[in-house]
């Protein structure tokens, strides 16, 4: 079984500052993928960034970077230079083995609400 | 290009009614997923299709929940005899045939059972 834990229910961040959202995971799968999604008030889940368990380097996508520490089973999201439009719920998610039916589904954490202050 | 679309966006049902929620995946996407998101929580997996085959329905909470994708494109999630605990946002996602990393989500259907 897979489990994702996000311990920060909500955070305030000042505009233009960086913010780190915590995510820890638990799995027995030897190969897995980690995802971060953004969910604004409109409800749609927007893909932000992906990290494979065997990727040698931490993933980056624009202002988003993933601090992947495999031994600690953590995959924290860093948002640099926060903007007002970054205010949303953020979900960490995991997918198990990269093939097969059971491996395709995403397991989500409980989310962290981010509010960017002007 | 068009993303994943879902209809209706909002649905109010009386307890005991049947409802049908529709998902139009991105054209050419082989894999389709349904998730249920209760208020203030993360989405939870319901079921997974590869083309028209339902390969995983382990997340369906009861036999009142039924999903189909008869032609391998549009999918319908049906809930029979709705209960108040079925109130949630139902999210549909699709991913491309090369087994890409990303699932692309629709805007969801918000179901309220009174």
């Amino acid at each position: 079984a897979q489990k994702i834990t996000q311990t920060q229910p909500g955070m305030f961040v000042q505009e233009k500052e960086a913010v780190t959202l915590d995510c820890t995971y638990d799995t027995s799968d030897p190969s897995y993928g980690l995802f971060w999604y953004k969910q604004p008030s409109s409800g749609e889940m927007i893909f932000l960034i992906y990290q494979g368990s065997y990727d040698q380097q931490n993933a980056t996508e624009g202002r988003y970077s993933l601090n992947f520490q495999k031994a600690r089973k953590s995959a924290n999201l860093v948002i640099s230079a926060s903007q007002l439009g970054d205010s949303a719920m953020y979900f960490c998610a995991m997918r198990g083995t990269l093939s097969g039916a059971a491996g395709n589904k995403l397991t989500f954490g409980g989310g962290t609400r981010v509010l960017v202050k002007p | 290009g068009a993303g994943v679309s879902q209809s209706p966006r909002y649905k109010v049902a009386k307890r005991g009614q049947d409802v049908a929620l529709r998902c139009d995946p991105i054209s050419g996407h082989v894999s389709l997923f349904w998730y249920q998101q209760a208020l203030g929580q993360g989405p939870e997996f319901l079921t997974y299709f590869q083309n028209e085959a339902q390969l995983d329905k382990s997340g369906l909470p009861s036999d009142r929940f039924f999903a189909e994708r008869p032609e391998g494109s549009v999918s319908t999630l049906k809930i029979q005899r709705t209960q108040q605990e079925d109130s949630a946002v139902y999210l549909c996602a699709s991913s491309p045939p090369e087994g890409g990393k990303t699932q692309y989500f629709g805007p969801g259907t918000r179901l309220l059972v009174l």
Side-chain angles (χ1 to χ4, degrees):
Chain A
Q2 300 170 349
K3 185 176 180 181
I4 297 284
T5 302
Q6 295 179 253
T7 57
Q8 305 153 309
M11 300 182 70
F12 286 100
V13 59
Q14 199 67 41
E15 191 180 9
K16 299 181 185 178
E17 292 186 349
V19 61
T20 297
L21 307 184
D22 295 341
C23 172
T24 58
Y25 61 90
D26 193 20
T27 182
S28 56
D29 286 332
S31 176
Y32 49 90
L34 295 155
F35 302 77
W36 277 92
Y37 283 85
K38 172 184 178 181
Q39 188 176 44
S41 56
S42 59
E44 187 169 351
M45 300 287 281
I46 302 168
F47 167 74
L48 296 179
I49 196 167
Y50 167 84
Q51 178 82 44
S53 59
Y54 287 107
D55 292 345
Q56 295 297 315
Q57 293 188 326
N58 286 345
T60 60
E61 290 285 350
R63 295 187 298 111
Y64 304 107
S65 60
L66 202 151
N67 183 4
F68 180 48
Q69 298 186 45
K70 192 171 183 178
R72 299 180 63 181
K73 293 189 174 180
S74 74
N76 298 340
L77 176 71
V78 180
I79 307 174
S80 62
S82 297
Q83 302 173 357
L84 296 179
D86 294 336
S87 295
M89 283 290 288
Y90 289 81
F91 290 96
C92 181
M94 160 182 280
R95 188 181 70 193
T97 51
L98 298 181
S99 62
N104 281 288
K105 63 186 176 185
L106 292 174
T107 300
F108 286 85
T112 296
R113 183 173 298 279
V114 173
L115 183 60
V116 180
K117 299 185 293 183
Chain B
V4 178
S5 61
Q6 293 185 245
S7 60
R9 291 294 313 278
Y10 303 92
K11 177 69 178 178
V12 179
K14 292 182 179 179
R15 189 162 59 95
Q17 275 186 328
D18 297 349
V19 298
L21 312 180
R22 176 188 170 104
C23 172
D24 280 273
I26 294 172
S27 178
H29 278 197
V30 169
S31 299
L32 185 145
F33 303 81
W34 284 98
Y35 294 86
Q36 179 190 58
Q37 186 176 21
L39 187 64
Q41 298 182 22
E44 293 192 352
F45 171 79
L46 293 177
T47 188
Y48 159 61
F49 290 86
Q50 186 167 315
N51 294 306
E52 68 279 3
Q54 188 175 21
L55 299 185
D56 188 347
K57 53 182 180 179
S58 61
L60 296 177
S62 77
D63 59 7
R64 296 186 295 104
F65 286 71
F66 172 76
E68 61 183 4
R69 193 185 185 197
E71 297 178 357
S73 55
V74 171
S75 177
T76 303
L77 177 66
K78 299 179 179 178
I79 309 173
Q80 297 176 325
R81 304 181 303 281
T82 52
Q83 304 293 315
Q84 286 186 323
E85 61 264 28
D86 300 336
S87 296
V89 175
Y90 291 86
L91 294 165
C92 176
S94 68
S95 63
E98 63 270 20
K101 309 165 194 171
T102 306
Q103 293 182 19
Y104 298 90
F105 282 80
T109 294
R110 188 175 298 274
L111 173 65
L112 177 61
V113 182
L114 301 175

